[in-house]
Amino acid sequence: MREVELLIGGIIVGLMIAMPVGPVNILCIHRTIEAGWRSGVISGLGAAAADMLYGGVAGFSITLVVQFLVREQFWIRFFGGILLVVIGIAYFFKRPEPLNAQKQDRASAYSDMRSTFLLTLTNPTTVLSFLALLAALGMGDPRHWWLTVFLVVGIFCGSMVWWIVLSVIVNHFRDRFNGRLLLLMNRFAGLAIAGFGVAAFVFRRS
């Protein structure tokens, strides 16, 4: 059935978009170590929601939105780079907290999801990556809108599969982290996230 084909194809695309190492992966790993797998999954939920939004733009071929993202990617990357650098600095100087899987409350969960959603949205080339992957997998042809819904749902599911798997794996090794390792993890996460922000500026100018 065409619906099943689009759903499976969307899952594959969602996995391929989410798996490459980037700032959201680092945030997900760090939050899982610090607060447990729920925090990692909630962080991934924000990224998956943004992936679904961009996947919908690509799947429905919303030309005006794609053109806007391409035209304004200078400023989107500019503010996205600043956001990454600020988050990186905050994590670099963040004091490690005791491991506590139960500390995740509604406010912090919303903050985790919102931050990863915004980080994913500030990468306008994501929608172009979706267009390229859909074309490569033979799913870029026009279709009825309700069929595209299966594709978009598949993208969300594929992205969430990655975030759940990543969070569960990292959570399995949480008890091996002590205060010193958490401090080093904060330093590494801060440098890596800020590095992605600096890279956004460099790429923007090239």
Side-chain angles (χ1 to χ4, degrees), residues 30 33-34 91-97 177-190:
H30 183 274
I33 293 173
E34 189 175 65
Y91 269 89
F92 185 86
F93 291 104
K94 184 178 181 181
R95 306 291 294 180
E97 300 179 19
F177 284 80
N178 54 29
R180 178 177 173 80
L181 285 177
L182 284 175
L183 181 61
L184 291 176
M185 183 67 186
N186 284 358
R187 299 290 190 265
F188 171 78

Side-chain angles (χ1 to χ4, degrees), residues 20 28 61 82 101 120 147 156-157 185 191:
C28 181
S61 298
I82 292 177
T120 305
L147 285 174
F156 176 81
C157 292
M185 183 67 186
L191 289 173

Side-chain angles (χ1 to χ4, degrees), residues 67-94:
Q67 290 177 346
F68 171 80
L69 292 171
V70 173
R71 185 176 65 250
E72 302 298 335
Q73 65 175 308
F74 176 96
W75 293 109
I76 297 175
R77 286 188 175 278
F78 177 79
F79 290 110
I82 292 177
L83 179 62
L84 285 173
V85 171
V86 170
I87 292 176
I89 293 174
Y91 269 89
F92 185 86
F93 291 104
K94 184 178 181 181

Side-chain angles (χ1 to χ4, degrees), residues 169-202:
I169 291 175
V170 174
N171 186 71
H172 180 72
F173 298 99
R174 280 187 75 218
D175 56 357
R176 302 188 182 184
F177 284 80
N178 54 29
R180 178 177 173 80
L181 285 177
L182 284 175
L183 181 61
L184 291 176
M185 183 67 186
N186 284 358
R187 299 290 190 265
F188 171 78
L191 289 173
I193 293 171
F196 281 112
V198 173
F201 287 110
V202 174

Side-chain angles (χ1 to χ4, degrees), residues 131-171:
L131 290 171
L133 285 172
L134 294 178
L137 295 174
M139 294 181 292
D141 300 330
R143 65 182 69 86
H144 294 295
W145 69 266
W146 56 272
L147 285 174
T148 303
V149 171
F150 285 90
L151 176 65
V152 175
V153 170
I155 289 172
F156 176 81
C157 292
S159 182
M160 278 307 303
V161 165
W162 168 248
W163 299 119
I164 292 172
V165 170
L166 179 64
S167 299
V168 170
I169 291 175
V170 174
N171 186 71

Side-chain angles (χ1 to χ4, degrees), residues 107-119:
S108 62
Y110 175 74
S111 176
D112 287 350
M113 185 171 63
R114 179 183 59 190
S115 62
T116 52
F117 180 78
L118 291 175
L119 281 179

